């Protein structure tokens, strides 16, 4: 007597076996499934005031690569990274690249003094709320400096890229830097 469990197991074996399927000769193997493109997260949108009081919205920068940089004037590692960002900006600004810096300062005068001293010529914004900065909260910023590299459609394509890592990623995406 054959039990129903044994019949079910035999049926599964027949269904899963290669019998009845075309054999593949070497060099004519079935193609592997094409992997689907990984869906990249879209950067959360926000708007904050620039030093002149005009509101700057992140999504208004779509159409170009954007390095979203979180920093503060009182942060030594941030200030040490700024010369690298200045050089990177100069090299790639004509290649569809910009930076949007979000300051986690409370003190407007200190923020603007650092922007001027460090030669930061790209868009700067802050709500002057320090660690309670609304944009920093949307990105769960716990320490500075931090950054996100966004593609022209607003998807995050890099995070916390500094120095050579930032240069390498931009070269992959935008080619060699401009002189």
């Amino acid at each position: 007597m054959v039990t129903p469990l044994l019949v079910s197991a035999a049926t599964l074996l027949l269904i899963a076996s290669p019998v009845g399927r075309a054999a593949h000769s070497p060099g004519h193997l079935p193609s592997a499934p094409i992997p689907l493109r990984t869906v990249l997260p879209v950067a959360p949108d926000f708007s904050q005031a620039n030093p002149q009081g005009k509101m700057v919205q992140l999504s208004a920068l779509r159409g170009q690569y954007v390095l979203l940089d979180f920093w503060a004037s009182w942060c030594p590692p941030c200030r040490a990274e700024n010369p690298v960002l200045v050089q990177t900006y100069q090299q790639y600004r004509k290649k569809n690249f910009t930076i949007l810096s979000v300051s986690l300062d409370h003190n407007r005068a200190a923020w603007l003094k650092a922007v001027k001293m460090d030669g930061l010529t790209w868009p700067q914004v802050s709500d002057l709320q320090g660690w309670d900065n609304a944009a920093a909260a949307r990105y769960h910023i716990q320490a500075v400096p931090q950054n996100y590299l966004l593609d022209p459609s607003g998807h995050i394509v890099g995070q916390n890229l500094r120095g050579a890592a930032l240069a390498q990623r931009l070269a992959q995406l935008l080619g060699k830097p401009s002189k």
Side-chain angles (χ1 to χ4, degrees), residues 17-30:
S17 72
V19 176
R21 295 186 185 164
H24 301 286
S25 62
H28 291 87
L29 296 174

Side-chain angles (χ1 to χ4, degrees), residues 23-125:
H24 301 286
S25 62
H28 291 87
L29 296 174
S31 61
I34 299 171
L36 297 175
R37 180 176 180 227
T38 303
V39 177
L40 301 171
V42 174
D45 198 17
F46 67 89
S47 61
Q48 287 193 2
N50 69 10
Q52 295 75 34
K54 181 181 176 192
M55 296 303 286
V56 176
Q57 188 165 4
L58 175 62
S59 60
L61 300 174
R62 290 221 176 125
Q64 56 190 326
Y65 285 89
V66 177
L67 184 69
L68 179 59
D69 176 49
F70 291 91
W71 76 294
S73 67
W74 45 260
C75 166
C78 301
R79 301 295 297 276
E81 185 68 14
N82 280 343
V84 175
L85 294 180
V86 168
Q87 180 181 9
T88 301
Y89 181 69
Q90 290 301 320
Q91 292 174 330
Y92 285 98
R93 69 187 176 130
K94 293 180 181 172
K95 296 191 106 185
N96 203 33
F97 172 76
T98 193
I99 301 173
L100 176 61
S101 288
V102 179
S103 171
L104 273 60
D105 276 285
H106 282 286
N107 183 315
R108 177 179 170 77
W111 168 43
L112 298 180
K113 181 179 178 184
V115 167
K116 186 174 182 175
M117 284 181 59
D118 294 357
L120 311 181
T121 59
W122 53 84
Q124 304 287 322
V125 298

